Structure formats: structure tokens, C-alpha cells
Amino acid sequence: MLESRTQEYVEQRVRAGVLEQGTVDLLTESGVGARLHREGLVHHGIELRFNCAGHRIDFADLAGGKGITIYAQHEVLKDLAAARRAVGGALFYTAEAVSVHDVESAPTIRFEHGGKTETLECDFIAGCDGFHGICRGAIPANALCIHERVYPFGWLGILAEVAPASDELIYSYHQRGFALLSMRSPQISRLYLQCDPEEDIANWPDDRIWVELRTRFQTHDGWHLADGPIVQKGITPMRSFVAEPMRHGNLFLLGDAAHIVPPTGAKGLNLAVADVRVLTSGLVDFYKHGRRERLDRYSHTCLRRVWKVQRFSWWMTSMLHRFPNEDSFQHHLHLAELDYVTSSRAASQSLAENYVGLPFEDEAKK
Ligand code: DHB
């Protein structure tokens, strides 16, 4: 395991926080679920808010009892690192991978660690190095097909030391733009506002953020959003991106190295974990039984899920955000879609089954 950052950095950096049922199940089966089950917050629904009223999507009823768990990504990373250390596995932090070689035969990774350049000889490389990492670039350009969409907005996200104003997540569509209420713990709220992707965070003093959040979450029944100290804030651009295939020789791309989803619906981390699940079953098949078929099918198997999750994330994003120059016709289409999704059992069930996580290929009927 080569990680360019320090262990402290990856174990403190606030990132995603919503785990699908299947992600929780996989972590549990892998023996790293104990703290997650103690500290994670299990939710069985979300709220969609529009026209100053909330509408609950009830997962318990609509998604066969599945739910989601709020547990921060950096806490998952702590648990994974501890489990790896417990079995004496190597973890190299502050190890910057410089280049990968011979991925079609016997791959190697050159990396810098402790002031020296080292070479790691591999059977396979799991390229989990994110959108800006070097692994995707190691695949010849003529072997890769890129599909991409950039959205004309971003999210301004804050972490605040205040109890979440709702027990469940609230996705709010408002004429001034989307807003999301989430959380990291019973004491820490995570909130987002749709903003211009080029927005300068310096234009958003804390007071302005709270006023805008209260406007976008306003209800007819006087729901109140309490504020608290903002301990972190930042702006995230939004894009959809898929590189295919996700394997070249013995190099596999996982997570953001292969695909990016816009954050609405919280799929990024879960999709990365789904890739890990597919690769792991292929590696087990290879090392236990000498069979390569699952590894050879890796890209095909992953991409089926990737595209369904891309569709869902794009759909949630399109439904809940204001696009530049929207007219009253488009505004009414947003409202009609939200009204439909929250009043039709078929439509709300479709949202719920995607939100808690689609079944894995090995569970679903082929
Ligand atoms: C969070 C992020 C999301 O994109 C989302 O849809 C729900 C929650 C979060 O960071 O808590």
C-alpha cells in the first residue's frame, strides 16, 4: 500500500460520510466493522424538501429494510489501516508513486520514500490513486475511452459544531439553488450550498452561509436551523467522468482513478468500494484456484454498476440543482419531478433502491 500523504493527513481529512448497506456489509464481512457498528448512525430515510415542505422517502418500507450508515470516510481509513497493521501488512505513507511500468507483463511501481527512489515489483497494481493520480495515465491513450460532463455549479460545504437540525439528511430544492443537510455525528453537522464553481470562498463569511442555508431550507411550519462554529469550509466542483476500460493488462483502476460522480446521492466512496469488491473476488479466484476469468471480466463487471450509478447521480443532481438561465418552465419541471418522486410509490421506490445501493452483480440475477 503506497500512499503519497502522511497517515495523519488521510486519517483527518474530511471527505464522504454516507455508507450504503452493501458497503457496510462488505466492511463487516472483512472484519473491520466493529467501530462502524458502534459509532455509525443508521438512517432509514431521507427528506426531499421543496416548496417549503418536506417529504420523507422511507427506505424501511421502500428498500426492503436496507438503510445507510453515516460514518466518515477517514474513520473507515483508520479502521482499514489498523486491520492491515494487525496482520503485519506493509503500509507506506509519504510514499509518492512516480511511475508505473510494464503493466502488460510484470508491473513495477517506482516510488519515492524517505529520500530514496524505490521499486515495487507487483503481480497486479490496484490503481486507487484518484482522479489526478498516475495510474490512469499509464494506460495508452488509444486504449482508453473517456466520457465526461462538467456541471455549471459547485458545492460550498461546511462542517459545523452544532447538533444536526434533523435526524435524517435533507435534500432541498430552492429557486436560489440546492442545499443539503447532512452530519458526521450527533454533535457535528455537514451542510452544503449549490454555488458558482468559480466562487471564491472569501466571499462567504460564516453569517452569509447561515443566512443562505436558512433561506434554502425554509418551511411553512417554521423549521429552525441552529448555527454553530464553522470549523471547515470549502468549494467542490462537480463532474461526471468515466474512463473505460478499467483494466489494462495487470493494472486495474478503482474509484476516482476510473470514474467521478457528482456528489448528490453520496455515491463516490460506495462506488469505489464496489470496485474493490470485484477486484478482490478476482484476486482470490486467481491466487486460490489459478483462474483469471474474473480478473479478465473486471472492467465489464464494474462498468455495469458504474453506469447505473452515474445515471442515478446525474439524475439526482439534475433534479435538485438550478441550472444557469433556467426559466419558469424548467423551474416547474423540477417541482413536478419532485412532486412525482415523492407521491408515486414506483418513483420513490426507484430512488430508494438506488440510494441504499443497488445489489452487487454476484447477488443480482444475471
Ligand atoms: C453527504 C454528501 C453527499 O453528497 C450526499 O448526497 C449526502 C451526504 C455528506 O458529505 O454527508
Side-chain angles (χ1 to χ4, degrees), residues 25 44 47 54 215:
D25 294 345
H44 291 286
E47 178 181 326
T215 305

Side-chain angles (χ1 to χ4, degrees), residues 49-55 172-174 215 217-221:
R49 190 173 285 190
F50 55 99
N51 275 343
C52 298
H55 306 261
S172 184
Y173 170 78
H174 190 275
T215 305
F217 282 117
Q218 193 176 15
T219 61
H220 287 310
D221 64 6

Side-chain angles (χ1 to χ4, degrees), residues 34-42 69-71 75 184-186:
R35 199 162 65 92
L36 155 65
H37 286 283
R38 273 200 314 276
E39 297 177 15
L41 307 172
V42 179
T69 301
I70 307 295
Y71 188 69
E75 301 297 343
R184 286 293 175 274
S185 73

Side-chain angles (χ1 to χ4, degrees), residues 100-287:
V100 302
H101 306 270
D102 303 320
V103 298
E104 287 167 42
S105 49
T108 55
I109 306 175
R110 278 162 55 84
F111 66 100
E112 278 166 11
H113 189 243
K116 282 196 273 183
T117 303
E118 311 264 10
T119 300
L120 182 65
E121 293 174 5
C122 315
D123 294 341
F124 303 101
I125 298 175
C128 313
D129 55 347
F131 186 67
H132 299 287
I134 59 169
C135 285
R136 191 176 64 256
I139 301 179
N142 61 8
L144 267 191
C145 194
I146 304 292
H147 312 275
E148 189 169 24
R149 174 147 311 181
V150 176
Y151 297 87
F153 36 73
W155 277 11
L156 190 165
I158 63 163
L159 203 62
E161 285 174 347
V162 58
S166 160
D167 289 340
E168 293 180 340
L169 272 56
I170 304 175
Y171 289 80
S172 184
Y173 170 78
H174 190 275
Q175 227 158 336
R176 294 180 59 85
F178 170 70
L180 170 62
L181 180 148
S182 180
M183 63 205 69
R184 286 293 175 274
S185 73
Q187 297 81 31
I188 303 279
S189 299
R190 180 87 169 137
L191 294 133
Y192 299 96
L193 284 171
Q194 175 184 351
C195 66
D196 190 289
E198 308 294 330
E199 186 66 73
D200 182 353
I201 195 74
N203 293 331
W204 287 85
D206 296 3
D207 285 355
R208 181 177 173 204
I209 294 175
W210 289 113
V211 168
E212 191 63 33
L213 284 166
R214 289 209 179 94
T215 305
R216 297 192 194 180
F217 282 117
Q218 193 176 15
T219 61
H220 287 310
D221 64 6
W223 183 85
H224 181 67
L225 177 67
D227 56 35
I230 295 180
V231 290
Q232 198 214 303
K233 56 180 159 181
I235 293 179
T236 324
M238 297 186 32
R239 71 167 76 216
S240 303
F241 176 95
V242 179
E244 56 180 319
M246 289 170 57
R247 174 182 80 97
H248 186 75
N250 292 320
L251 169 64
F252 296 82
L253 301 180
L254 295 88
D256 286 9
H259 41 71
I260 301 278
V261 288
T264 334
K267 290 297 170 209
L269 165 62
N270 293 294
L271 199 51
V273 171
D275 295 342
V276 171
R277 183 186 171 108
V278 177
L279 181 59
T280 305
S281 73
L283 292 174
V284 169
D285 238 19
F286 177 78
Y287 286 112

Side-chain angles (χ1 to χ4, degrees), residues 61-76:
D61 174 34
L62 296 164
K66 288 187 183 175
I68 53 158
T69 301
I70 307 295
Y71 188 69
Q73 176 169 332
H74 63 269
E75 301 297 343
V76 175

